[in-house]
């Protein structure tokens, strides 16, 4: 079994998990895992490629047609529930690993990432029991009914921002629907995924049902998985540009695809809203998880009469956010994921200045933090609506604020993007809330809240923010195939 993290060294080496066993790469290749809060190496990661993906897909195919198929729905539900139970039992260890890997505050991993990972399994363990199909009587001519079967071997490709949460958001329905999985976690965050192998085994998941192959994307494990001829479907969460590449690889064997991609989400604040509530939530929708959240409300639009009042309070509350050591319970914002990402996010601050923007607060490394990829929460004002900082996903603790005068105008600006993941609207006018929500081009629209999720509801993006929806029945639609059986009477 896996040696998990030790409290003293806070290190862990990550192996693949193939056919129920931990293993190195065939050629023993590895890469280093770095803690973004300290810039220290915290372990090595097996670097997989085509060979390891081949082994994992073979194991997944065998398990699909073997032991996994033999298990009853009730029994499968119990196994899936147990995965959630074990995750909760190991919450301290998993939260610590998530924090070491991502740089996010430990309290956040404990409050959000790990409990939600467990809930993904608990939710789908319950949900799967009541999933049905359709039947139609055609007068006295025929009856039609549909049978639902697993789609097969599914590749799950994941990002680094909410590693275990997003991976289990795919794995739970994938298993609930009777599929087997080959997962490719993000190269920057391999730790919690690695542990999930032994957790699944302990829960009673047969060997080969869940496989984990570490490695990179292009010309590596990610590419090998998305072009593998014996993989039936790919569920991918990550950047829109990566989605384009995966679609090309998957096209050769016409795989079923589910995509959760980038976002540049509007946070629209009308003058009649409750400003204290707005600020409290906007602080979260802007800066929680260092702003590394696909749903982050990074484009803030404020109705002009409350612009000054909003800015004053928003800046004040932002100033109060402590940036620092993710292990310190007082840190509200941790470190960005990597050097490369830190530089990418920082490059937007330079762009903002060149574009004539005014960095109202933040925009630099916090004083006293010389090591680690820390960046102050940043508010930019005074930008043109077409500037790059307003248009492009920054994926860090950086938001823009623009004023607006009219409802129609803000709707038009909110929709002036290739993305369409989520939006928040703040207003106490009931009719306006409904009227505006219906016109916003996004998959998820919150009114007077943000990030409030009911796992039965459709989750996903329109335009270049995604293809398909996840959640409840929507996840089942993706992870199953229907066959219609027509019986002539
Ligand atoms: P990324 O696209 O760089 O990587 C995601 C995964 O794809 C990684 O495992 C990577 O190794 C793999 N990959 C990269 N190139 C590949 C290729 N050619 N073939 C196969 N696999 C490949 O995304 P990143 O930087 O990890 O995550 C940040 C992005 O994810 C942001 O754009 C964010 O908005 C998006 N995201 C979307 C969410 C949603 O629900 N819509 C949720 C969380 C993040
Ligand atoms: Mg890491």
């Amino acid at each position: 079994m896996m040696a998990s993290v030790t409290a003293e060294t806070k290190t862990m080496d990550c192996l693949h998990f193939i056919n129920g066993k931990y293993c190195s790469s065939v050629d023993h290749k590895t890469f280093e895992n770095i803690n973004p809060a300290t810039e220290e190496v915290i372990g090595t990661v097996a670097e997989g490629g085509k060979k390891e993906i081949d082994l994992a897909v073979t194991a997944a195919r065998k398990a699909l047609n073997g032991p996994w198929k033999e298990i009853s729905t009730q029994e499968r539900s119990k196994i899936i529930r147990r995965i959630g139970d074990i995750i909760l039992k190991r919450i301290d260890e998993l939260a610590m690993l998530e924090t070491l890997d991502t740089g996010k505050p430990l309290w956040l991993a404990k409050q959000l990432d790990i409990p939600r990972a467990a809930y993904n399994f608990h939710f789908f363990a319950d949900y799967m029991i009541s999933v049905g199909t359709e039947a139609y009587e055609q007068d006295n001519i025929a009856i039609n009914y549909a049978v639902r079967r697993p789609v097969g071997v599914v590749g799950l490709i994941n990002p680094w921002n909410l590693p275990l949460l997003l991976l289990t958001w795919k794995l739970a329905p994938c298993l609930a629907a009777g599929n087997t999985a080959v997962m490719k976690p993000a190269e920057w965050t391999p730790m919690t995924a690695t542990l999930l192998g032994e957790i699944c085994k302990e829960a009673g998941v047969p060997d080969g049902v869940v496989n984990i192959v570490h490695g990179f994307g292009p010309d590596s494990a990610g590419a090998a998985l998305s072009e593998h001829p014996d993989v039936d479907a790919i569920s991918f969460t990550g950047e829109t540009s990566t989605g384009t590449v995966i679609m090309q690889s998957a096209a050769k064997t016409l795989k079923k695809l589910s995509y959760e991609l980038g976002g540049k989400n509007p946070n629209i604040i009308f003058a009649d809203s409750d400003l204290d509530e707005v600020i409290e939530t906007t602080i979260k929708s802007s800066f929680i998880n260092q702003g590394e959240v696909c749903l982050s409300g990074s484009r803030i639009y404020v109705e002009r009469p409350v612009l000054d009042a909003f800015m004053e309070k928003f800046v004040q509350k932002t100033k109060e956010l402590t940036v620092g050591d993710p292990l310190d319970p007082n840190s509200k914002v941790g470190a960005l994921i990597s050097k490369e990402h830190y530089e990418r996010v920082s490059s937007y601050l330079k762009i903002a200045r060149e574009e004539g923007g005014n960095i109202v607060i933040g925009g630099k490394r916090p004083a006293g933090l010389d090591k680690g990829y820390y960046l102050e929460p940043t508010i930019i004002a005074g930008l043109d609506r077409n500037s790059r900082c307003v248009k492009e996903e920054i994926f860090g603790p950086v938001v823009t604020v623009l004023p607006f005068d009219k409802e129609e105008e803000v709707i038009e600006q909110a929709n002036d993007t290739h993305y369409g993941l989520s939006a928040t609207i703040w207003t106490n006018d009931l009719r306006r809330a409904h009227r505006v929500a219906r016109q916003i081009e996004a998959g998820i629209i919150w009114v007077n809240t943000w990030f409030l999720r009911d796992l039965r509801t459709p989750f996903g993006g329109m335009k270049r923010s995604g293809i398909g929806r996840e959640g409840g029945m929507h996840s089942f639609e993706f992870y199953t195939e229907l066959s219609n059986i027509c019986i002539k009477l």
Side-chain angles (χ1 to χ4, degrees), residues 158 160-161 184 187 222 236 238-239 242 260-262 294 393 395:
N158 281 274
W160 45 261
N161 61 328
K184 211 300 278 170
E187 51 272 34
F236 167 71
E239 278 183 43
T242 311
E260 301 291 352
L261 309 175
C294 53
E393 184 185 44
F395 218 62

Side-chain angles (χ1 to χ4, degrees), residues 270 272-273 407 425-439 445-448:
F270 285 99
D272 69 11
S273 56
E407 186 179 302
I425 302 161
W426 292 96
T427 179
N428 282 319
D429 178 337
L430 178 69
R431 289 194 291 180
R432 170 149 65 198
H434 288 286
R435 191 170 61 230
V436 175
R438 300 165 65 86
Q439 294 179 76
I445 293 143
W446 282 293
V447 176
N448 298 334

Side-chain angles (χ1 to χ4, degrees), residues 157-162 166 169 184-188 215-219 221-226 236-243 245-246 249 259-263 292-295 341 344 393 395 419 421 459-461 465-466 470:
I157 304 180
N158 281 274
W160 45 261
N161 61 328
L162 302 164
L166 289 175
W169 175 234
K184 211 300 278 170
E187 51 272 34
W188 287 336
F216 299 93
D219 308 314
L225 183 56
S226 46
F236 167 71
T237 299
E239 278 183 43
T240 298
S241 56
T242 311
V245 178
I246 291 180
S249 322
Y259 274 3
E260 301 291 352
L261 309 175
E292 296 164 325
V293 182
C294 53
L295 301 165
H341 190 60
R344 205 191 118 180
E393 184 185 44
F395 218 62
Y419 292 115
L421 188 55
F459 178 94
S465 284
E470 296 180 317

Side-chain angles (χ1 to χ4, degrees), residues 4-131:
S4 49
V5 68
T6 61
E8 311 85 71
T9 62
K10 298 206 167 56
T11 58
M12 175 179 161
D13 290 334
C14 295
L15 297 173
H16 309 300
F17 185 78
I18 300 175
N19 205 20
K21 284 174 205 65
Y22 285 106
C23 60
S24 316
S25 285
V26 175
D27 59 8
H28 296 279
K29 244 176 131 170
T30 60
F31 61 96
E32 287 181 339
N33 187 11
I34 294 185
N35 177 346
T38 60
E39 302 183 37
E40 280 163 13
V41 176
I42 49 173
T44 60
V45 188
E47 183 181 340
K50 188 174 178 315
K51 283 184 190 142
E52 291 71 27
I53 291 289
D54 278 344
L55 290 170
V57 172
T58 304
R61 178 63 59 188
K62 204 164 142 239
L64 180 77
N65 298 322
W68 201 222
K69 203 175 175 175
E70 306 304 322
I71 290 176
S72 70
T73 305
Q74 284 285 349
E75 188 52 35
R76 202 164 73 241
S77 164
K78 279 190 201 156
I79 293 172
I80 290 168
R81 169 161 291 282
R82 278 202 293 270
I83 303 174
D85 294 344
I86 302 169
I87 289 175
L88 285 184
K89 222 170 63 196
R90 298 179 71 169
I91 185 168
D92 289 335
E93 182 187 6
L94 286 163
M96 177 58 80
L97 291 175
E98 207 72 303
T99 290
L100 295 172
D101 234 357
T102 57
K104 75 175 69 200
L106 183 59
W107 61 261
L108 182 62
K110 242 183 198 172
Q111 224 173 69
L112 172 71
D113 296 71
I114 312 303
R116 174 57 200 284
Y119 186 54
N120 287 337
F121 289 104
H122 289 156
F123 172 83
F124 280 106
D126 287 340
Y127 194 89
M128 61 183 281
I129 298 293
S130 57
V131 170

